[in-house]
């Protein structure tokens, strides 16, 4: 029996998606992915795109790596398609591979399926710890304006975009957002702002159970000053608040270090991981202090597909590639060239208000020239032109929906970076010229 999908054209695929599942494909260019290999994506008509999306920051070692395919096929053809939380060698081997990347040598890991799930678990562990050690008064969850942690309820409550939380009206407490010190949308990058904002919100520091922060804000590829984050770490320690770093996007090499929190010189209590941990199938993890991860009885935190053997095998193959090919070093060195090129574009083009990022992740903050007003229409038009000309970008994200995100697979070469920069600059110049 052969396995056929039964579509003859992109249009037939798009018609079915629009009819049955419109929300999932909303906003993206209507490119029907057929296969993806290395730094290229191919659509159903065989057209090739240079990928600057990594499929939303997943394909860190590139798409369709034969080693990952082999791990998946080998596990599937044993056959072993599922184990629930029964032990598997795939799961154990992945944990062993992750061991020397943990914040502290005696930390533990909890394997899950999606980034949002990892956020939910980190919040649950942090609030449980606060309740057990300090009682009912310690309930506040502090997070950052413009932050994004996923689409589930806890993750959206911790997020910092009011528009995404309209559906949660009435259930916001005890989530409090403070400004994210990106130096652009928030010019004051001093740690004082953190403390004064909490005071203005009427929050007693000792009531804070957990502070959750993206190591860089995904929406704008924006980093906080290292000094600020080090002060935050001390503040959390002084107030017995759990510090959670959301590395779902940043983890496993994206910024030129294994984890982006390393740039700040801190050691978080919990770290949430996902996306690039496997470069492919859904796998996520919460790692961190054993006294936090050990709070629940064995089996009490089970997740049906968490640590799925095929996903674990894929992640194991991914991490082995990352080590043997020194992918993190490539992200740092090629990423530097990428950053230089994007800054050069920004100097020439007034519609680029700012370039934030590091390693292999950047965002161009598109604005009305001469102002900081986000220009979503311009960002969307630039992305469309790039896709039309064979440079794959996902739809604009972040503040005002006006940030063009640049996040290639970490294996990209300098030549491929130059090729993409050429297309991107032409797209921006074309849109600026069209507007006059
Ligand atoms: C920083 C961050 N945290 C959490 C998530 C949620 O991950 P997932 O979509 O796998 O649930 C995302 C997804 O984009 C993310 O960028």
């Amino acid at each position: 029996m052969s396995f056929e999908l039964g579509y003859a054209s992109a249009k037939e695929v798009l018609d079915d998606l629009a009819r049955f599942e419109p929300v999932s494909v909303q906003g993206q260019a209507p490119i029907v992915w057929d296969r993806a290999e290395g730094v290229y994506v191919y659509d159903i008509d065989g057209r090739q795109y240079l990928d600057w999306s990594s499929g939303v920051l997943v394909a860190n070692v590139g798409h369709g790596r034969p080693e990952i395919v082999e791990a998946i096929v080998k596990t599937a053809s044993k056959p072993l398609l599922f184990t629930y939380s029964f032990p598997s060698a795939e799961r154990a081997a992945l944990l062993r591979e992750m061991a020397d990347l943990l914040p502290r040598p005696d930390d533990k890991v909890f394997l899950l399926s999606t980034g949002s799930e990892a956020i939910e678990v980190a919040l649950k562990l942090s609030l449980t710890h606060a309740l057990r050690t300090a009682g009912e008064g310690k309930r506040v969850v502090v997070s950052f304006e413009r932050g994004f942690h996923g689409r589930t309820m806890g993750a959206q409550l911790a997020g910092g975009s009011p528009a995404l939380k309209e559906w949660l009206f009435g259930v916001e407490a005890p989530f409090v957002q403070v400004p994210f010190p990106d130096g652009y949308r928030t010019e004051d990058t001093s740690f004082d702002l953190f403390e004064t904002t909490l005071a203005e919100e009427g929050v007693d520091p000792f009531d804070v159970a957990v502070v959750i922060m993206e190591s860089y804000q995904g929406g704008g590829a924006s980093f906080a000053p290292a000094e600020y984050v080090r002060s935050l770490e001390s503040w959390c320690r002084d107030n017995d608040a759990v510090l959670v770093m959301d590395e779902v996007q940043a983890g496993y090499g994206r910024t030129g270090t294994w984890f982006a929190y390393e740039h700040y010189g801190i050691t978080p209590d919990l770290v949430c991981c996902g996306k690039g941990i496997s470069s492919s199938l859904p796998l996520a993890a919460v790692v961190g202090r054993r006294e936090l991860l050990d709070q629940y009885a064995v089996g009490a935190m089970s997740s049906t597909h968490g640590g799925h053997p095929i996903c674990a095998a894929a992640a194991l193959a991914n991490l082995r590639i990352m080590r043997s090919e020194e992918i993190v070093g490539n992200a740092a060195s090629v990423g530097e060239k990428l950053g230089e090129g994007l800054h050069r574009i920004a100097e020439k083009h007034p519609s680029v208000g700012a370039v934030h990022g590091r390693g292999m992740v950047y965002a161009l903050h598109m604005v009305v020239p001469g102002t900081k007003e986000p220009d979503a229409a311009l960002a969307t038009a630039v992305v469309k032109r790039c896709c039309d000309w064979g440079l794959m970008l996902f739809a604009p994200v972040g503040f005002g929906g006006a940030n063009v995100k640049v996040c290639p697979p970490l294996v990209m070469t300098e030549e491929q970076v130059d090729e993409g920069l050429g297309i991107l600059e032409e797209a921006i110049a074309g849109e600026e010229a069209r507007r006059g």
Side-chain angles (χ1 to χ4, degrees):
M1 210 165 65
S2 73
F3 175 71
E4 296 294 340
L5 297 174
Y7 290 98
S9 71
K11 186 176 177 312
E12 284 178 21
V13 176
L14 293 168
D15 284 351
D16 267 3
L17 291 172
R19 178 171 165 222
F20 296 113
E21 202 194 17
V23 173
S24 71
V25 290
Q26 221 170 41
Q28 303 303 336
I31 299 167
V32 179
W33 287 35
D34 184 51
R35 65 190 181 89
E37 207 172 342
V39 297
Y40 295 104
V41 173
Y42 299 85
D43 73 12
I44 197 166
D45 298 316
R47 186 160 180 227
Q48 174 182 288
Y49 298 81
L50 180 65
D51 180 25
W52 270 20
S53 76
S54 299
V56 85
L57 301 107
V58 172
N60 283 9
V61 299
H63 295 277
R65 289 294 302 249
E67 302 89 333
I68 296 180
V69 174
E70 188 195 347
I72 292 169
V73 170
K74 223 171 168 170
T75 310
S77 17
K78 277 181 174 182
L80 183 67
L81 298 185
F82 178 68
T83 65
Y84 175 45
S85 54
F86 285 93
S88 75
E90 288 78 7
R91 189 178 192 131
L94 171 60
L95 294 171
R96 196 172 50 196
E97 188 72 26
M98 291 169 72
D100 66 353
L101 297 172
L102 305 177
R104 286 154 293 265
D106 66 343
D107 277 352
K108 285 198 172 176
V109 181
F110 187 18
L111 293 177
L112 298 152
S113 302
T114 70
S116 304
E117 196 184 12
I119 298 295
E120 299 291 337
V121 166
L123 292 174
K124 177 170 173 177
L125 294 174
S126 302
L127 287 167
T128 303
H129 172 76
L131 194 62
R132 288 182 178 172
T133 57
E136 290 177 5
K138 201 169 177 67
R139 299 310 289 155
V140 178
V141 178
V142 177
S143 56
F144 289 84
E145 291 170 2
R146 301 185 298 280
F148 182 78
H149 298 287
R151 304 257 180 212
T152 53
M153 191 163 171
Q156 295 237 286
L157 285 166
S161 302
L164 297 185
K165 293 197 269 196
E166 279 170 11
W167 67 284
L168 290 163
F169 178 78
V171 296
E172 294 92 340
F175 289 77
V176 173
Q177 275 85 57
V178 298
F180 183 86
D182 67 343
Y184 186 60
R185 295 286 167 203
T186 303
E187 289 178 3
D188 180 354
T189 60
S190 72
F191 188 67
D192 283 353
L193 186 60
F194 179 90
E195 295 190 289
T196 52
T197 308
L198 286 188
E200 279 163 23
E201 295 283 334
V203 174
D204 180 335
F206 289 106
D207 290 344
V208 175
V210 48
V211 179
I212 181 165
M213 181 184 201
E214 290 167 273
S215 299
Y216 68 79
Q217 280 205 326
S222 307
F223 284 75
E227 211 173 289
Y228 178 109
V229 184
R230 282 199 287 269
S231 299
L232 177 64
E233 183 187 41
S234 309
W235 186 94
C236 286
R237 203 179 305 120
D238 293 346
N239 293 291
D240 200 16
V242 177
L243 177 59
V244 180
M245 295 307 275
D246 178 348
E247 293 259 349
V248 170
Q249 241 189 62
Y252 297 96
R254 176 57 54 186
T255 67
T257 49
W258 277 99
F259 295 95
Y261 69 74
E262 294 170 44
H263 296 300
Y264 301 124
I266 62 158
T267 311
D269 299 307
L270 294 176
V271 181
C272 298
C273 308
K275 295 186 187 274
I277 192 173
S278 71
S279 287
S280 55
L281 301 186
L283 192 101
V286 176
V287 307
R289 286 188 185 282
R290 60 175 50 215
E291 66 269 27
L292 295 173
L293 276 122
D294 278 345
Q295 292 177 99
Y296 281 90
V298 174
M301 299 276 286
S302 67
S303 167
T304 299
H305 290 292
H308 188 288
I310 298 179
C311 304
L316 175 60
N318 177 56
L319 297 186
R320 286 179 176 167
I321 295 169
M322 290 199 74
R323 283 186 212 272
S324 67
E325 297 184 9
E326 296 180 13
I327 302 282
V328 182
N330 195 66
S333 61
V334 177
E336 211 172 301
K337 300 278 175 228
L338 175 60
E340 285 166 12
L342 293 170
H343 281 285
R344 267 198 307 278
I345 291 176
E347 278 163 27
K348 284 198 261 172
H349 296 279
S351 59
V352 184
V355 177
H356 290 179
R358 188 168 187 161
M360 283 290 206
V361 59
Y362 291 89
L364 305 185
H365 296 233
M366 307 306 290
V367 294
V368 176
T371 75
K372 282 189 176 181
E373 197 186 318
D375 192 335
L378 176 67
T380 303
V382 167
V383 167
K384 181 174 182 320
R385 273 186 195 248
C386 287
C387 289
D388 286 350
W389 294 342
L391 180 66
M392 171 77 69
L393 295 171
F394 52 72
V397 292
F399 186 71
N403 298 339
V404 174
K405 195 90 174 272
V406 172
C407 34
L410 311 185
V411 291
M412 193 145 289
T413 63
E414 286 184 20
E415 293 68 34
Q416 290 159 340
V417 160
D418 284 341
E419 185 188 338
L421 286 170
I423 298 173
L424 179 63
E425 179 160 16
E426 219 175 310
I428 293 171
E431 276 309 308
E432 285 183 345
R434 196 176 64 79
R435 291 170 163 228

